[in-house]
Amino acid sequence: MTDKRLRVGALAPALIMAVLSAGLLLAGCAGSSDRTETATGTAAETQSSEADGAGETEEPAREEAAADAGAGTSEAENSEDGPLHPVIKSRTESEYDEDGSLLCSVSWQEPGIRDEGHEELRAALEAYAASRAESAAAAHDELLLAAEEGKAVMEEGAFYGYTSDSSIEFLRADDKVLSFSDTTYSFTGGAHGNGGSEQRVYDVRTGEELGLSDVVADKAALEAFVVDYLEENYGSEDMLLEGWEDAVAAAFSEGLKHSFGLTPEGIRISFDPYEIGPWALGTVTVDVPYTAEGIGFNADFMPAGEQTVWSI
């Protein structure tokens, strides 16, 4: 499966892919701009500001229910054998017209870890951010151009700016696996915006990104589980698009590239709006427990030890 792309009506295909995939580190462009940076992790809250007005904050977002939030980090937490402490860095860049009205605003997040060591994993996460930066500069220029063109044909006061917001959610972080989803929602006019997500799974010990064949022994059994689940929960109510079974089969034939993540409970498989269902259905998610029969999850990546990510 190729990387998932947004279906944004006013934007070119190259922009569509970049906006969804981007970590969105942006090149400068005409007009005034405001930039904000925020880092979120398991560290105690700290703040700093820079002379150019860009701020950076580090605070708990997926925390370990620590009553002593101000306590120092122990040696175990920073060791290669200790639990991971994932960090999310948030950035926003906005562009304004000469009259002060918003042209476009882009927000994105970058995943990381605050632990010492884990150099291979750290390098992999930095490479993820770099790959997003490479395509994001061109995407930002095209988004700004589309906004300027869109405003020119709109009645005065009717243009509210184009936006793209990307957010990271850590699904699992322990001594074996780091997994997260990256979800983007963009609005460029019309009845509603468009969105999509992609997932990443990394071997904490090697920093390598894991594919489906690394995680399960019988992909056919996993596909059958997913089809049965969708049929039972959506198909009986005719909530899925015609030919959804073919779309699922195509996804599995490509190894669910960037469509699955790992949680503490099992493998999470997601389908974007319009992929197997209409926009109104939203993202369709199937959670397959590690205990599911016949699938054969790789014991090397079964969860063990302390987790540092929970839903809040």
Side-chain angles (χ1 to χ4, degrees):
M1 177 186 291
T2 57
D3 287 352
K4 295 181 179 178
R5 304 181 180 185
L6 288 181
R7 288 161 280 273
V8 182
L11 304 185
L15 170 60
I16 291 172
M17 180 181 73
V19 169
L20 173 60
S21 301
L24 297 177
L25 294 176
L26 306 177
C29 53
S32 61
S33 65
D34 290 341
R35 181 180 300 162
T36 303
E37 301 180 4
T38 303
T40 303
T42 56
E45 184 171 280
T46 61
Q47 292 186 337
S48 65
S49 60
E50 299 174 354
D52 64 357
E56 185 166 314
T57 307
E58 188 169 301
E59 61 185 12
R62 312 238 175 253
E63 218 170 357
E64 299 175 73
D68 55 343
T73 304
S74 68
E75 292 183 4
E77 289 176 330
N78 279 332
S79 72
E80 291 281 359
D81 298 327
L84 289 178
H85 296 80
V87 172
I88 296 172
K89 179 175 287 187
S90 300
R91 302 181 186 275
T92 299
E93 184 161 333
S94 301
E95 303 294 339
Y96 296 87
D97 205 352
E98 292 180 355
D99 61 6
S101 61
L102 178 69
L103 287 173
C104 64
S105 179
V106 183
S107 300
W108 70 100
Q109 295 186 324
E110 301 170 1
I113 53 173
R114 59 178 285 259
D115 309 78
E116 296 178 0
H118 300 294
E119 296 304 327
E120 294 86 356
L121 176 61
R122 188 184 307 279
L125 296 177
E126 290 173 352
Y128 178 85
S131 69
R132 294 298 177 259
E134 186 176 351
S135 59
H140 177 261
D141 289 345
E142 290 197 39
L143 185 63
L144 179 60
L145 178 61
E148 290 173 334
E149 293 176 348
K151 183 177 181 179
V153 299
M154 297 283 287
E155 295 182 3
E156 184 176 354
F159 183 81
Y160 297 101
Y162 292 164
T163 61
S164 178
D165 301 295
S166 179
S167 60
I168 296 289
E169 178 189 2
F170 283 104
L171 303 176
R172 178 178 158 189
D174 53 36
D175 61 347
K176 296 181 178 180
V177 165
L178 177 70
S179 181
F180 62 86
S181 65
D182 192 345
T183 301
T184 298
Y185 179 85
S186 294
F187 179 78
T188 56
H192 58 74
N194 286 282
S197 64
E198 57 182 54
Q199 286 67 237
R200 291 293 191 280
V201 182
Y202 293 97
D203 185 334
V204 168
R205 295 156 291 193
T206 66
E208 294 182 358
E209 184 176 353
L210 299 176
L212 185 62
S213 59
D214 297 316
V215 177
V216 300
D218 193 335
K219 291 186 287 186
L222 178 62
E223 181 178 354
F225 184 104
V226 171
V227 170
D228 289 346
Y229 178 91
L230 293 173
E231 180 66 44
E232 179 179 353
N233 290 274
Y234 299 97
S236 60
E237 301 296 330
D238 293 327
M239 301 173 69
L240 301 175
L241 296 176
E242 183 178 352
W244 66 268
E245 299 96 333
D246 295 334
V248 172
F252 272 89
S253 70
E254 295 292 334
L256 293 180
K257 186 177 182 181
H258 302 160
S259 297
F260 81 94
L262 295 183
T263 73
E265 292 78 29
I267 183 171
R268 175 168 295 176
I269 300 169
S270 64
F271 299 95
D272 287 343
Y274 300 122
E275 195 168 3
I276 64 171
W279 167 258
L281 190 59
T283 298
V284 178
T285 300
V286 182
D287 286 310
V288 185
Y290 293 120
T291 55
E293 294 184 3
I295 295 173
F297 286 100
N298 189 336
D300 288 344
F301 304 112
M302 295 283 280
E306 183 177 359
Q307 289 286 321
T308 53
V309 176
W310 294 275
S311 297
I312 298 178

